C-alpha cells in the first residue's frame, strides 16, 4: 500500500478524493489544507507521493513543488490544475512535476486518470531509486576491484572510474566522469582513439568477429598490449579484459574494461625467454642429447642433438613425444622402473645403458643419465632431465680393441713374449703378470708390480748395465731401451731375458711418464 499526502485548501474536495483513493485499497491518504502544513508533514513522515492542488492561498502548488524538490529531491509530485491553465502546466513541468491532472466535470474519468498517474509516478520513482542503488552497488564493487577498471555507456561516456585506475593513470574520476570522445584513451595512448572496450560496442560486436591478437571467452574479449603513455611516458605492458554490461533483458547498456599492469611479469617472462634461449643455445652445442620430461614421460625439452639422434623433427614435438616409445621394448620396463626409482629417491643416476630405438625403428646402444626436476615451491619432483650418449662408436672401438688384444695375446703366447708398462710417476709395472707366471713361475697378487720388486729378482751382476741402458733412453740418448739380463726363476735358477721398450708419454715439461715394451726369454750360454 502506497502512502500519499493530499494537499488542498478545499476541505470538501480533500474529503471526497481521500475517500475515493482509500476505497481502492491501494493507498493510505493523509491530508493537509495548506502548503506549509504539507511541508511539516513531509518532514516528519515517509510518503510515496505528494498530490497538490495548484491554487492555494499564501503558497500555491508550484511554490510547494519547488520546496519539495529543494528539500526532498525526486519525491513523486502530481499537481491539479484547472482547464485552460496551460501556463501553469508549463511552469509545473519546468520545475520537475511528475504529472498534472486537469480538473473537470467528469469526476469519474478524472479520478481514474489520477489513479493511473499516481501508480506510474511511484513505480517510476522506485525504478529510478533501484537503478541508482544498482549503479551505486556497481560503483562500489568496481571501486573495490584491485585492477584498474572503468565503465562507459553506449554513447562512449565514462560512467565509472575506480580508485585503481586513478592510481594507474593519475586521472581523478571527478575529471573524467561523463566525458566521451575517447577521453579515457589519453592516459594510455597519448591520443584519442578506440580501445578494446569500444570493440565490445561495435556493430557487429568484436565478440562475434574474432581478430588476430585477441583472446575470446564467453562475453569477454582480452588482449595484452603496450601502453606508451603510462608512467610518465615510460610505458607499461598491460593485460586488458573487456565485456558488455547488460540489463535484465540482455540489452547492452554499456561496456566495462579491467586493466592489469603486467610489466613485471612481462620482464620476468622476457628474462625467462632469454634464459631458455641461452640454455637451448648451450644445449645445442653439446655433442650429446639433452632432454627434459614430465612425470608421464612426455618430452618437454630436447636439444638438436637429441632430435637428430632419434630421427625426430621439431614438428613432432607439439603432438607429444613419449620417451618410453624410443626405448627398445625389451628395455622399456627396466627403464620405467628406474625412472620411478630416480623420482622417488632423488639424486642423479650414474648412467645406465639401454637399447634405444629411432623413429624409423632402427636401434642403437646408449647411456641415459637422469636427475629429478624439482618444483621450487613444493620441493617435489615434477619431471626428469638428463643427457643421452650414443655409445655405438665406443662399443665398436671397445670390441675392436678387445679383438686386437686377444690377437696380440695369442701372438705373444706363441712366441713366449710378455708386455710390460712402467708408470714413472708411481714406479710400478703393469701387464707383466701372465708372462712372469708362465716364464718365471711367479703369481703376483697385486694389480701392479713395483720397480723394487723387479729389481729384487734381477741378477746383481746385471744391474749396472740394465740401469745404464734404461737411463740412456730416459735422457734421450737412445731411441729404445734394450738390454739382456738374468732374472731369478721361482725354483731358484737364473733365466736369461731380453727387454726392449720405448717412452710413449711425457708430461708438459718433457719428463717421461710411461714406458712400455716387451720381454722374452732367450737362450744364452753360461
Amino acid at each position: 500500500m502506497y502512502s500519499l499526502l493530499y494537499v488542498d485548501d478545499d476541505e470538501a474536495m480533500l474529503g471526497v478524493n481521500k475517500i475515493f483513493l482509500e476505497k481502492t485499497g491501494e493507498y493510505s491518504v493523509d491530508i493537509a489544507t495548506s502548503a506549509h502544513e504539507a511541508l511539516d508533514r513531509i518532514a516528519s513522515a515517509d510518503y510515496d507521493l505528494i498530490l497538490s492542488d495548484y491554487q492555494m492561498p499564501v503558497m500555491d502548488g508550484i511554490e510547494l513543488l519547488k520546496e519539495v524538490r529543494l528539500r526532498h529531491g525526486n519525491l513523486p509530485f502530481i499537481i491539479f490544475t484547472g482547464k485552460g491553465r496551460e501556463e501553469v502546466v508549463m511552469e509545473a513541468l519546468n520545475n520537475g512535476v511528475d504529472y498534472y491532472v486537469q480538473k473537470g466535470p467528469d469526476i469519474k474519468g478524472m479520478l481514474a486518470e489520477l489513479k493511473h498517474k499516481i501508480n506510474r509516478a511511484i513505480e517510476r520513482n522506485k525504478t529510478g531509486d533501484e537503478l541508482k542503488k544498482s549503479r551505486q552497488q556497481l560503483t562500489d564493487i568496481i571501486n573495490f576491484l584491485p585492477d584498474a577498471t572503468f565503465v562507459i555507456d553506449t554513447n562512449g561516456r565514462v560512467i565509472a572510474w575506480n580508485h585503481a585506475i586513478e592510481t594507474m593513470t593519475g586521472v581523478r574520476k571527478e575529471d573524467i566522469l561523463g566525458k566521451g570522445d575517447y577521453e579515457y584513451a589519453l592516459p594510455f595512448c597519448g591520443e584519442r582513439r578506440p580501445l578494446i572496450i569500444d570493440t565490445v560496442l561495435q556493430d557487429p560486436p568484436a565478440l562475434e568477429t574474432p581478430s588476430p591478437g585477441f583472446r575470446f571467452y564467453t562475453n569477454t574479449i582480452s588482449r595484452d598490449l603496450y601502453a606508451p603513455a603510462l608512467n610518465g611516458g615510460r610505458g607499461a605492458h598491460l593485460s586488458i579484459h573487456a565485456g558488455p554490461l547488460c540489463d535484465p533483458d540482455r540489452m547492452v547498456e554499456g561496456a566495462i574494461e579491467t586493466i592489469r599492469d603486467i610489466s613485471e611479469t612481462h620482464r620476468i617472462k622476457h628474462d625467462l625467454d632469454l634464459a631458455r634461449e641461452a640454455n637451448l643455445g648451450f644445449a645445442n652445442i653439446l655433442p650429446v642429447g639433452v632432454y627434459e620430461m614430465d612425470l608421464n614421460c612426455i618430452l618437454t625439452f630436447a636439444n638438436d642433438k637429441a632430435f637428430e639422434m632419434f630421427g625426430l623433427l621439431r614438428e613432432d614435438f607439439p603432438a607429444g613425444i613419449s620417451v618410453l616409445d624410443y626405448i627398445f621394448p625389451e628395455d622399456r620396463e627396466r627403464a620405467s622402473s628406474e625412472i620411478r626409482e630416480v623420482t622417488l629417491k632423488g639424486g642423479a643416476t650414474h648412467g645406465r645403458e639401454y637399447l634405444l630405438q629411432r623413429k624409423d625403428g632402427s636401434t642403437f646402444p646408449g647411456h641415459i643419465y637422469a636427475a629429478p626436476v624439482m618444483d621450487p615451491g613444493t620441493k617435489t619432483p615434477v619431471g626428469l632431465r638428463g643427457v643421452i650418449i650414443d655409445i655405438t662408436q665406443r662399443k665398436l672401438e671397445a670390441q675392436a680393441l678387445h679383438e686386437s688384444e686377444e690377437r696380440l695375446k695369442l701372438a705373444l703366447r706363441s712366441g713366449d713374449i710378455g708386455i710390460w708398462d712402467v708408470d714413472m710417476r708411481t714406479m710400478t709395472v703393469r701387464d707383466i703378470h701372465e708372462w712372469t707366471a708362465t716364464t718365471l713361475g711367479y703369481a703376483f697378487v697385486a694389480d701392479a708390480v713395483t720397480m723394487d720388486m723387479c729389481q729384487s729378482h734381477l741378477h746383481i751382476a746385471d744391474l749396472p748395465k740394465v740401469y745404464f741402458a734404461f737411463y740412456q733412453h730416459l735422457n734421450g740418448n737412445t731411441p729404445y731401451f734394450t738390454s739382456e739380463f738374468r732374472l731369478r726363476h721361482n725354483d731358484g735358477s737364473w733365466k736369461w731375458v731380453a727387454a726392449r721398450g720405448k717412452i710413449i708419454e711425457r708430461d708438459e715439461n718433457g719428463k717421461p711418464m710411461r714406458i712400455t715394451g716387451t720381454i722374452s726369454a732367450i737362450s744364452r750360454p753360461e
Side-chain angles (χ1 to χ4, degrees):
M1 180 176 291
Y2 295 137
S3 176
L4 309 181
L5 176 62
Y6 181 22
V7 188
D8 198 328
D9 62 332
D10 186 339
E11 295 186 13
M13 184 65 71
L14 276 177
V16 171
N17 288 339
K18 173 180 170 67
I19 293 171
F20 168 79
L21 290 170
E22 289 185 337
K23 188 177 181 181
T24 65
E26 298 180 31
Y27 313 109
S28 170
V29 182
D30 288 344
I31 58 175
T33 57
S34 70
H36 289 293
E37 181 186 353
L39 290 172
D40 291 340
R41 284 183 172 274
I42 295 171
S44 59
D46 186 14
Y47 293 109
D48 294 308
L49 181 138
I50 308 301
L51 175 63
S52 174
D53 187 28
Y54 163 67
Q55 194 161 353
M56 295 184 295
V58 184
M59 179 183 289
D60 62 23
I62 298 294
E63 293 301 320
L64 176 60
L65 171 62
K66 291 178 181 179
E67 285 298 317
V68 169
R69 287 287 172 261
L70 180 63
R71 301 182 190 183
H72 305 287
N74 293 323
L75 179 61
F77 199 105
I78 295 177
I79 194 167
F80 277 118
T81 66
K83 288 286 186 179
R85 301 299 301 272
E86 286 76 8
E87 75 283 356
V88 174
V89 171
M90 292 302 299
E91 187 178 3
L93 292 173
N94 289 335
N95 283 280
V97 77
D98 290 274
Y99 294 105
Y100 65 91
V101 176
Q102 291 184 332
K103 297 178 181 178
D106 184 4
I107 301 298
K108 185 176 181 180
M110 181 191 70
L111 292 176
E113 179 187 0
L114 177 60
K115 177 186 173 184
H116 171 72
K117 289 184 175 180
I118 288 173
N119 290 343
R120 189 170 180 182
I122 294 174
E123 289 169 3
R124 187 174 66 179
N125 185 64
K126 287 186 178 295
T127 301
D129 288 344
E130 290 174 0
L131 179 59
K132 287 180 182 178
K133 183 179 179 181
S134 176
R135 285 180 174 173
Q136 185 58 48
Q137 289 174 338
L138 176 62
T139 299
D140 292 343
I141 291 171
I142 290 172
N143 278 329
F144 183 75
L145 294 176
D147 290 331
T149 305
F150 73 99
V151 180
I152 60 174
D153 61 20
T154 53
N155 295 314
R157 291 189 297 265
V158 178
I159 58 175
W161 189 265
N162 76 346
H163 299 317
I165 201 169
E166 285 184 315
T167 302
M168 176 181 284
T169 63
V171 177
R172 300 183 308 164
K173 66 179 179 181
E174 292 85 358
D175 298 329
I176 197 168
L177 287 178
K179 292 186 178 180
D181 191 26
Y182 307 121
E183 181 84 12
Y184 42 82
L186 291 175
F188 299 99
C189 308
E191 61 178 329
R192 298 178 186 273
R193 50 166 292 183
L195 298 183
I196 293 177
I197 193 171
D198 298 290
T199 65
V200 176
L201 300 178
Q202 291 176 355
D203 189 18
L207 291 170
E208 301 175 7
T209 55
S211 303
F214 289 88
R215 298 185 297 272
F216 297 90
Y217 310 96
T218 304
N219 290 331
T220 306
I221 182 172
S222 67
R223 189 179 189 183
D224 294 344
L225 51 78
Y226 181 72
L230 280 178
N231 298 323
R234 297 190 303 275
H237 291 273
L238 306 176
S239 178
I240 300 175
H241 298 258
L245 287 178
C246 300
D247 65 14
D249 296 323
R250 306 305 301 165
M251 296 296 293
V252 175
E253 291 189 330
I256 183 171
E257 180 172 300
T258 62
I259 306 158
R260 179 172 296 179
D261 188 338
I262 58 171
S263 298
E264 181 64 16
T265 303
H266 186 274
R267 185 191 64 76
I268 293 172
K269 182 178 181 299
H270 176 70
D271 292 346
L272 181 60
D273 289 342
L274 289 178
R276 284 175 175 167
E277 188 63 30
N279 290 340
L280 179 60
F282 176 74
N284 282 336
I285 66 175
L286 296 176
V288 298
V290 180
Y291 72 93
E292 280 190 8
M293 66 179 181
D294 62 21
L295 294 179
N296 295 316
C297 298
I298 300 300
L299 195 69
T300 56
F301 170 83
N303 69 342
D304 291 345
K305 184 64 178 178
F307 276 89
E308 175 190 335
M309 193 180 291
F310 289 91
L312 291 165
L313 301 174
R314 287 285 175 186
E315 290 77 7
D316 298 322
F317 190 78
I321 298 172
S322 173
V323 172
L324 293 176
D325 289 344
Y326 293 87
I327 296 177
F328 197 69
E330 292 181 3
D331 280 354
R332 204 167 287 165
E333 182 55 39
R334 178 168 64 91
S336 295
S337 175
E338 289 169 349
I339 288 171
R340 289 192 295 271
E341 180 182 350
V342 172
T343 303
L344 292 173
K345 295 183 178 180
T349 66
H350 297 292
R352 287 161 182 168
E353 183 177 336
Y354 301 95
L355 185 60
L356 305 177
Q357 184 170 277
R358 298 184 183 91
K359 185 179 180 181
D360 62 8
S362 60
T363 59
F364 65 98
H367 269 147
I368 298 182
Y369 296 79
V373 179
M374 308 300 289
D375 185 310
T378 62
K379 307 299 182 184
T380 57
V382 294
L384 293 177
R385 70 162 61 96
V387 297
I388 304 169
I389 301 174
D390 185 343
I391 59 173
T392 302
Q393 189 62 33
R394 184 190 303 176
K395 291 183 79 71
L396 291 174
E397 291 172 353
Q399 180 63 27
L401 178 61
H402 175 72
E403 292 174 356
S404 176
E405 289 176 344
E406 288 300 313
R407 287 194 296 269
L408 178 59
K409 287 179 181 178
L410 182 61
L412 293 175
R413 286 194 196 102
S414 63
D416 192 24
I417 300 173
I419 296 175
W420 51 271
D421 190 337
V422 178
D423 187 336
M424 296 299 294
R425 295 165 298 186
T426 60
M427 297 303 286
T428 56
V429 184
R430 296 183 180 276
D431 302 334
I432 201 171
H433 299 70
E434 187 173 345
W435 183 84
T436 58
T438 58
T439 304
L440 300 178
Y442 295 108
F444 293 110
V445 177
D447 290 338
V449 179
T450 66
M451 290 289 283
D452 288 341
M453 293 170 63
C454 292
Q455 181 179 322
S456 68
H457 290 78
L458 188 64
H459 198 288
I460 191 170
D462 296 333
L463 277 173
K465 67 176 182 179
V466 173
Y467 274 112
F468 179 77
F470 189 72
Y471 282 102
Q472 279 289 96
H473 180 59
L474 288 185
N475 294 328
N477 298 324
T478 57
Y480 298 98
F481 158 67
T482 58
S483 182
E484 294 180 357
F485 50 90
R486 286 164 288 184
L487 290 174
R488 185 172 59 243
H489 193 279
N490 194 33
D491 62 9
S493 62
W494 294 94
K495 198 169 187 69
W496 279 93
V497 299
R500 182 180 176 87
K502 181 177 176 61
I503 298 170
I504 63 170
E505 186 179 354
R506 295 179 183 271
D507 64 15
E508 59 185 11
N509 298 316
K511 185 178 179 180
M513 295 176 64
R514 284 183 62 199
I515 304 175
T516 189
T518 61
I519 187 169
S520 61
I522 61 174
S523 298
R524 187 168 177 174
E526 294 294 333

